[in-house]
Amino acid sequence: MNKIKVGVIGTGFIGPTHIEAVRRLGFVEVVALAESSLEAAEQKAAELGIPKAYGDYKEMLRDEEIQVVHNCTPNHLHFAINKEIILAGKHVLSEKPLAMSSDETRELLELAKEHDVVNGVNFNYRQFPILKQLETMIKNNELGKVNLVHGSYLQDWLLYETDYNWRLAPESGGKSRAIADIGSHWCDTVQHVTGKQIVEVFADLATVIPVRKKAIGNVATFGAQETADQQYEEVPINTEDYASVLVRFDDGTSGVFTVSQVSAGRKNRLSFEINGSQSSAYWNQEEPEKLWLGHRGRANETLLADPALFNDEAKGSIHHPGGHNEGWPDALKNMMKNFYTFIYEGKDPLKDQTNFATFADGHLSMCITDAILESHTNQKWVKVNVGQEVKS
């Protein structure tokens, strides 16, 4: 088997997790990485056991051995780098958001189609095994007609005024933060599981901490807290810490979700409940192996992830026996497995159905974010303007 050769741009928090997931596949090999300087690239390549290091990603894109490139850079770099990856004729897997505006994401989507490259966006939460099970249950009408969808995505990593990260600066993270960063995951996951698309929103956003204290010196994302002698500078904050959004789906179903990065004790709690005409289902990412099923006329249930209990369509997404819990890294592995299997089998991104999030999903996500920001500004319902048909 000839392994698919891969290059990775950016090795902060998310880059190494991509590399670890790809290495678990067996038929894909990470052969190069690029960083902001050759020194940084060589150091990281040595740490991760990667043979090639580039201080300029453009040089890496000229490497003919590389077939696929992962874009794991900060948000404001996504558009330019994704565009250059496509123009270099490489398949591309981008971190989200796909770009910083819906105009940019639309251009990338059109370019990817024009150059016929396989394109993916790392919406990995939809890849949890038990969510594949829930997706099949909804398709099989086991919950009945879906009437309501509600939930939240709560974190606490920006709870204190001394918590600071590049995502807080609009020029680096974008004009939206909590919505674009974690709300986008909630929307993608729920849309994928239900098979419904969000078409209209009404939003309320808030900046809970309007001025933060930025440490003088580098602090890693999700890193340790400050020391007693740490020095700070005050920085005004213009992006949201919190948002609540009413949503309407394309079939008229109603929903609502809340996102927050200032909720003490909540580390990475993406959760949602789906209320159907026969039964309900609830899932929480911090306990990813459990699916709560609610009933009116009989006792409620908790389904534990177990291939022996899954529908046939869902069994391919779970890799261990019941009780051997699969979590966030495994959902990321499923994302990579589906993306790279599509490439290995020589499928056509213009004709063949994908089982991973594509640039079309990334474009839809940005259009939803734009609509949410417009809704908050004007305090009214706003339609999601995709501008073209988007298939999830």
Side-chain angles (χ1 to χ4, degrees):
M1 177 185 293
N2 292 322
K3 292 187 176 182
I4 299 170
K5 301 299 195 298
V6 178
V8 176
I9 306 173
T11 56
F13 160 68
I14 200 67
T17 67
H18 279 234
I19 293 167
E20 189 272 339
V22 164
R23 283 174 165 168
R24 294 170 67 187
L25 302 181
F27 63 98
V28 184
E29 181 181 3
V30 180
V31 298
L33 63 77
E35 259 296 347
S36 55
S37 70
L38 183 58
E39 181 183 7
E42 289 176 340
Q43 179 180 345
K44 203 69 179 182
E47 291 175 6
L48 297 172
I50 295 172
K52 300 179 186 179
Y54 292 94
D56 183 348
Y57 73 88
K58 295 181 181 180
E59 184 181 354
M60 190 179 80
L61 293 181
R62 293 191 289 270
D63 187 333
E64 294 184 0
E65 181 185 31
I66 295 171
Q67 301 160 267
V68 186
V69 177
H70 290 228
N71 185 357
C72 300
T73 61
N75 299 359
H76 69 290
L77 301 174
H78 287 182
F79 173 71
I81 293 177
N82 285 333
K83 184 174 181 177
E84 291 187 69
I85 294 170
I86 295 169
L87 294 177
K90 314 287 190 185
H91 303 306
V92 54
L93 179 58
S94 175
E95 266 303 314
K96 45 101 300 256
L98 179 57
M100 296 275 271
S101 73
S102 56
D103 288 338
E104 291 180 345
T105 57
R106 184 177 293 108
E107 181 178 345
L108 290 174
L109 178 56
E110 291 171 352
L111 271 176
K113 289 179 178 179
E114 178 184 343
H115 291 266
D116 198 19
V117 299
V118 179
N119 53 90
V121 178
N122 187 32
F123 284 123
N124 59 301
Y125 289 91
R126 61 161 73 182
Q127 302 288 354
F128 276 93
I130 207 149
L131 291 189
K132 183 63 178 179
Q133 168 68 11
L134 176 56
E135 178 192 347
T136 65
M137 291 172 67
I138 292 172
K139 286 180 179 177
N140 295 337
N141 204 37
E142 294 180 42
L143 302 185
K145 177 182 177 293
V146 172
N147 293 322
L148 302 171
V149 183
H150 49 96
S152 61
Y153 195 155
L154 309 177
Q155 298 176 328
D156 70 358
W157 72 287
L158 293 174
L159 175 64
Y160 302 136
E161 65 176 2
T162 50
D163 293 326
Y164 194 87
N165 177 266
W166 61 262
R167 290 171 176 82
L168 290 150
E171 62 272 17
S172 299
K175 54 193 174 182
S176 169
R177 177 168 33 97
I179 286 292
D181 187 16
I182 57 178
S184 60
H185 275 299
W186 192 94
C187 292
D188 178 79
T189 304
V190 164
Q191 288 178 116
H192 181 75
V193 168
T194 62
K196 305 176 188 298
Q197 186 171 309
I198 294 171
V199 295
E200 198 169 9
V201 297
F202 195 119
D204 177 50
L205 281 59
T207 305
V208 176
I209 303 176
V211 178
R212 288 181 179 265
K213 294 180 179 179
K214 178 182 178 182
I216 299 173
N218 293 326
V219 178
T221 302
F222 310 120
Q225 292 300 310
E226 68 277 0
T227 58
D229 59 351
Q230 181 68 62
Q231 299 296 309
Y232 300 94
E233 59 178 318
E234 291 192 344
V235 179
I237 302 300
N238 301 308
T239 55
E240 76 280 0
D241 296 313
Y242 150 89
S244 282
V245 185
L246 296 169
V247 298
R248 289 175 181 154
F249 294 88
D250 52 359
D251 66 347
T253 301
S254 296
V256 61
F257 70 94
T258 293
V259 295
S260 165
Q261 294 176 319
V262 291
S263 295
R266 301 303 191 190
K267 303 305 177 184
N268 197 43
R269 192 181 176 89
L270 188 163
S271 64
F272 60 87
E273 182 170 319
I274 297 172
N275 301 132
S277 59
Q278 297 176 24
S279 299
S280 296
Y282 170 80
W283 180 75
N284 159 33
Q285 195 276 153
E286 291 185 342
E287 298 178 290
E289 77 285 2
K290 297 179 181 179
L291 181 66
W292 177 86
L293 298 170
H295 312 289
R296 173 170 165 170
R298 57 189 173 93
N300 297 335
E301 307 169 74
T302 299
L303 172 65
L304 296 181
D306 183 341
L309 302 176
F310 275 17
N311 294 334
D312 289 342
E313 310 98 300
K315 288 181 179 178
S317 66
I318 188 167
H319 308 287
H320 302 288
H324 298 76
N325 298 336
E326 298 182 30
W328 192 91
D330 304 290
L332 185 60
K333 176 197 171 185
N334 279 343
M335 167 69 199
M336 302 302 172
K337 175 177 177 286
N338 293 338
F339 178 78
Y340 279 102
T341 299
F342 190 92
I343 294 172
Y344 188 78
E345 293 179 349
K347 291 185 176 180
D348 188 339
L350 298 178
K351 298 176 182 177
D352 296 315
Q353 181 69 38
T354 63
N355 54 356
F356 53 88
T358 67
F359 277 19
D361 299 290
H363 175 56
L364 172 59
S365 175
M366 184 53 65
C367 291
I368 293 171
T369 297
D370 285 350
I372 287 171
L373 292 175
E374 182 183 343
S375 172
H376 171 69
T377 299
N378 298 325
Q379 287 295 286
K380 66 177 185 180
W381 282 97
V382 172
K383 293 186 181 300
V384 177
N385 181 21
V386 176
Q388 57 185 306
E389 182 181 359
V390 173
K391 292 175 66 177
S392 297

